[in-house]
Amino acid sequence: MIPTSDQLEFRALAREFAAGEIRPHVETWDADRNLPDALFATLAELGFLGMRMPEAHGGLGVDAPTFAMVVEALAWGDASVALAVAIHNGPIPRALEGWGRAEQQERWFPALAAGDVLGAFSLTEPGAGSDPAALTTRARSRNGTWVLDGTKSWVTNGDRAGLILLFARTGDEDSGREGISAFLVPRDTPGIRVTGRERTLGLAASETVSLELDGVELPENALLGAPGDGYEIAMDALLVGRIGVAAQALGIGQAAYEHALRYAGEREQFGRSLHRFGAVREKLAGMAVRLSQARLLTLDAAVRLDGEPGDDATHLPSSPRALSSMAKVAASEAAMWITDEAVQIFGGYGYMRDYPVERLMRDAKGTQIYEGANEVLRMVVAGDAVREFDGGS
């Protein structure tokens, strides 16, 4: 795709913001394991928290490629910031727009668009990661209310959020994916307790928590869609979620590439700069190739998510599900490879926390795992490839 002037302008705004307001503080945020409240107020003021909310409800209503470009630019500044923005703008509005009733949209979209409420996505549980159909959190209908009990893990924005899109089992224990339902849960509902803040290898400033639900009572209209729609809602929401992760990975990789390129030009060994050595040039070329490939695939997946037809004549997997999975795999693995090579170019300095590539390498690893581990996403892609070979059966 060829970016429009509006897309380039919005991306430039995000990159300028990342350079001036994020990068100067990123090491402090990483060490403190925290993003300041004032940052989210500024993100809201600039429109970054209303990107994917409909214009009719006060949002910007940007398309998926623009969303991906902005998330990449923010991740170039700090992946933890980009992750918070991507979760808020990705799975949450996708699900609310696709399955929400008018009164639900009117209640939540304006607050989400203005940044008055931050969104969180809660699917994973201690025993249900790659297999969400195995989740055990229960939602029981009782006297005109829903009562939720269980434990959720890896909830990004989970403590700061005002709205949690949460998935629980409304069917019996053997109902599998057909027994899962989705709920719009206000974070301040009594009975919700944060039981732990995760200490992760990377993305240290990201607020990722575990939640305990103990007799959480919700009105009937907290149900999103119909009982049993939860699995379909989650899988659809993850399409944009995976594009968001791919964009984060691109931002991480781009930052590492730029740091390595600059360092190789400044650092001298044996009387000449590092970028005069063939081995280093090969690394830099590999970085550029991988970044370009992954970025094109990510934008292609974003375009397809918005309803543009794919190129079915290639007999390659081209559904939104397959493309978002491929984009996430390609971008996250590119980021991991690029940051590894960047650390190698920096040498001993790259292994020290005084230099940024060490943090970028830690951040990159997470993108290979969350929103679907890459091994699982390869199974998704392979399934679509087999169906294409079998004529769609």
Side-chain angles (χ1 to χ4, degrees), residues 30 35 40 75 78-85 156-157 202-206 363:
D30 183 71
L35 297 174
F40 288 90
D78 180 34
S80 291
V81 175
L83 177 57
V85 172
T156 300
N157 300 337
L203 299 157
S206 175
D363 289 348

Side-chain angles (χ1 to χ4, degrees), residues 64 262 291:
R262 185 177 302 109
L291 267 176

Side-chain angles (χ1 to χ4, degrees), residues 74-124:
L74 294 175
W76 173 86
D78 180 34
S80 291
V81 175
L83 177 57
V85 172
I87 291 293
H88 173 84
N89 276 284
I92 314 304
R94 174 86 175 179
L96 188 55
E97 188 167 24
W99 276 268
R101 296 183 294 278
E103 61 270 21
Q104 292 174 322
Q105 295 178 353
E106 290 166 4
R107 176 184 179 184
W108 291 113
F109 269 141
L112 291 164
D116 297 334
V117 166
L118 194 67
F121 183 81
S122 181
L123 177 64
T124 303

